[in-house]
Amino acid sequence: MKTVPSQLYIDGSWQDAASGQTLPVINPCTEEQLAQVTAAGAVDVDLAVCAAARAFKTWRHTSGSQRAVYLRAIAHGVEQQKDFLARLQSQNNGKPLTESHIDVGDVVATFAYYAQLAEQLDAQQNAPVAIPSDDFSASLRREPCGVVGLIVPWNFPMVTTAWKLAPALAAGCTVVLKPSEVTPLPELALAAIIAATGLPAGVLDVVTGTGQAVGAPLVAHPLLSKISFTGSNAVGSMVMKMAAADIKGVSLELGGKSAILVFDDADVELALSLVMGGIFFNAGQMCSATSRLLVAESMANALLARLKQACEELVVGDPFAAGTQMGPLVNRAQYERVLSYIERGIADGAQLVTGGGRAEGCQRGFFVAPTIFNQVPLDSAIWREEIFGPVLCVRSFASEQEAVALANDSEFGLVATVVTANAERAARVSAALEAGVVWVNAPQVIFPQTSWGGMKKSSIGRELGPWGMATFQEIKHVVNALV
Ligand code: NAD
């Protein structure tokens, strides 16, 4: 296997932290140490932001087409190393290798898409704006917003990074990236690929370390124009407060407690596959997990019986073993958090259908059995809070109206899935759901061209598509007097 850098990437060179400190990276399948990476602090963050600020002076004036050359080279570099990157991601995060390959493909597609958007920018720059006047003309410029800080979590490390980094570079921003301290290896490998493209020094700076030591000083840094954050609501709220001090822009991708609605006309086998994928992919560690199943009363028993059987047959184990369908949770903290939610569910009177503890046959590693609760009380923690693990909560409904009301009864509004054979119902329910993305009879497919993000407490702003790049742009109108 290739070696992965362990140092900070600042101003075009790999370097240690000023303190000389490191932090361990753990393989969640074996609980053994995979690597030691540099643990940065405020001094290193300052070096990184200052390097990005110097680089911005030049990078901001490059054309979209020039930036597209780098974005395409990054997509190509990732594609070339896709097997290595997928293996690294599975080692560090614990997800099955098949899932890591999907992630890597998504990264390639995202950089390739924003290369196209960067090229299109050149033709759009200084575009005339129609105004009702014979005395003035107006034109529109889209300019990069400055040095941006990108803070990402551990569940889809390279993907969340690509969704921010590709549009930020395409827009002409320079970037300080803070990977999760739990999964820094995929981003360090990605940074090495990006460095090899010859991207000018300082345009991308990568600073590894904890949220307290790196994330907080990054958000507070006065030279930063904007923070794009993906993570928990608790930290997202802190980020917003810190950014308020000097009126920095923020975009936030936070938690979810999304619903999958299965109507009485749905195909049971299709419903089964969509419910299973929506909660057990990545061991349920998905902001978009459809962790609340709402099923029509008339088919609840049939679907639940199929789900119980499918859960008990799900192959849980080593991410590298052929046939593995679910790996471990990412670390001990997440493992204990999920088990404590399961205990609360039982204590709150939810009916445990299957699972409910450590996965059988896994001696080491942070494995939790696929778990289903039925008749989950509406006011219980497992119904209302994001568990971020392989735990499905089920309730049945008597009418379409009740199904939509139950789905919308959440402080979150990230995604939803609708399973029905009735196209009119699908359209009606999709329109009524409070969610940023709705899948109808479809797995959770995400295209770079469509938006990502949600309503209510799930997000501020949208990633992907042109909206993802607009996040990193300032709009300027130039109005001329016609003399
Ligand atoms: P987290 O909030 O604990 O950490 C996210 C990042 O923030 C990490 O890099 C962490 O080091 C950093 N951080 C922690 N404290 C900080 C501080 N004080 N200042 C600045 N940065 C700080 O989240 P997590 O446990 O890594 O990820 C799980 C959460 O992410 C879940 O809630 C999940 O729903 C959410 N998520 C959302 C999306 C989305 O698109 N909406 C995608 C993936 C994950």
Side-chain angles (χ1 to χ4, degrees):
M1 201 154 183
K2 289 181 217 308
T3 52
V4 180
S6 61
Q7 293 172 296
L8 312 175
Y9 185 63
I10 298 178
D11 210 9
S13 75
W14 296 95
Q15 45 192 275
D16 289 329
S19 68
Q21 287 183 348
T22 59
L23 56 84
V25 183
I26 305 297
N27 178 334
C29 182
T30 62
E31 301 183 39
E32 284 163 8
Q33 185 175 305
L34 261 178
Q36 287 272 346
V37 299
T38 302
V43 175
D44 312 295
V45 169
D46 183 54
L47 286 176
V49 176
C50 290
R54 284 192 301 277
F56 183 63
K57 291 181 185 153
T58 314
W59 182 249
R60 67 177 303 170
H61 297 300
T62 52
S63 67
S65 312
Q66 286 171 316
R67 299 194 290 270
V69 171
Y70 292 105
L71 292 166
R72 281 194 211 291
I74 297 169
H76 180 69
V78 172
E79 174 74 36
Q80 295 264 298
Q81 298 199 25
K82 62 178 188 232
D83 292 333
F84 160 68
L85 290 169
R87 293 187 72 78
L88 185 65
Q89 171 116 316
S90 285
Q91 274 189 326
N92 196 167
N93 168 284
K95 64 179 74 187
L97 194 55
T98 45
E99 295 186 14
S100 290
H101 275 289
I102 295 173
D103 287 5
V104 176
D106 186 316
V107 173
V108 173
T110 302
F111 278 99
Y113 169 69
Y114 281 107
Q116 265 176 20
L117 251 57
E119 279 166 349
Q120 290 166 11
L121 260 182
D122 293 340
Q124 294 163 357
Q125 207 60 302
N126 302 314
V129 177
I131 49 171
S133 171
D134 295 330
D135 301 323
F136 301 97
S137 69
S139 59
L140 166 64
R141 292 181 57 76
R142 289 183 175 82
E143 298 183 357
C145 70
V147 181
V148 295
L150 312 182
I151 301 181
V152 296
W154 44 257
N155 58 336
F156 291 91
M158 270 186 302
V159 173
T160 31
T161 291
W163 290 8
K164 297 176 189 307
L165 181 56
L169 295 178
C173 292
T174 56
V175 170
V176 179
L177 168 68
K178 185 223 162 307
S180 165
E181 60 272 40
V182 183
T183 53
L185 301 185
E187 265 85 358
L188 287 167
L190 180 64
I193 290 171
I194 295 176
T197 66
L199 189 76
V203 173
L204 168 66
D205 302 270
V206 182
V207 190
T208 48
T210 64
Q212 277 298 324
V214 175
L218 179 60
V219 175
H221 202 291
L223 292 183
L224 222 62
S225 303
K226 170 146 203 171
I227 288 283
S228 174
F229 172 86
T230 298
S232 63
N233 281 64
V235 177
S237 171
M238 282 197 288
V239 165
M240 212 170 161
K241 279 188 201 123
M242 280 192 280
D246 52 2
I247 322 289
K248 279 188 190 91
V250 286
S251 57
L252 305 175
E253 286 301 334
L254 307 175
K257 190 73 190 178
S258 300
I260 176 164
L261 298 80
V262 179
F263 288 93
D264 54 7
D265 52 14
D267 177 81
V268 177
E269 292 308 308
L270 174 66
L272 175 73
S273 119
L274 297 179
V275 173
M276 293 291 290
I279 186 64
F280 299 123
F281 194 83
N282 206 16
Q285 301 165 116
M286 295 187 287
C287 51
S288 60
T290 39
S291 53
R292 293 184 298 151
L293 165 60
L294 301 169
V295 52
E297 273 170 7
S298 59
M299 74 182 304
N301 286 344
L303 182 59
L304 210 58
R306 293 289 288 114
L307 278 168
K308 180 175 184 313
Q309 184 192 358
C311 270
E312 288 163 5
E313 289 171 1
L314 200 80
V315 183
V316 180
D318 180 354
F320 291 97
T324 293
Q325 293 170 299
M326 196 178 94
L329 299 186
V330 79
N331 63 9
R332 180 164 297 283
Q334 194 61 20
Y335 172 78
E336 285 171 357
R337 178 185 145 94
V338 171
L339 290 183
S340 83
Y341 266 114
I342 290 173
E343 281 169 23
R344 282 171 80 183
I346 294 168
D348 287 344
Q351 183 193 97
L352 184 64
V353 176
T354 186
R358 187 171 176 79
E360 274 176 34
C362 300
Q363 268 75 39
R364 284 188 310 171
F366 307 119
F367 291 94
V368 171
T371 297
I372 302 179
F373 280 105
N374 192 16
Q375 295 174 2
V376 179
L378 285 177
D379 58 354
S380 62
I382 61 166
W383 187 258
R384 309 214 73 85
E385 296 173 21
E386 183 179 51
I387 300 175
F388 226 57
V391 182
L392 180 68
C393 296
V394 185
R395 285 186 68 94
S396 56
F397 60 81
S399 67
E400 181 182 309
Q401 204 182 15
E402 189 193 359
V404 170
L406 281 169
N408 286 344
D409 179 23
S410 169
E411 60 181 5
F412 299 109
L414 191 55
V415 304
T417 301
V418 180
V419 195
T420 174
N422 179 332
E424 283 172 15
R425 168 178 276 160
R428 215 168 36 236
V429 172
S430 303
L433 288 170
E434 295 164 356
V437 179
V438 179
W439 290 285
V440 178
N441 298 325
Q444 295 199 359
V445 279
I446 300 168
F447 300 96
Q449 292 77 5
T450 59
S451 67
W452 184 255
M455 300 178 184
K456 301 192 268 187
K457 289 189 185 167
S458 284
S459 306
I460 292 186
R462 289 290 185 276
E463 297 197 318
L464 297 181
W467 311 276
M469 193 160 79
T471 296
F472 298 109
Q473 291 172 320
E474 293 285 4
I475 295 292
K476 182 187 279 180
H477 281 97
V478 179
V479 178
N480 280 290
L482 297 171
V483 279

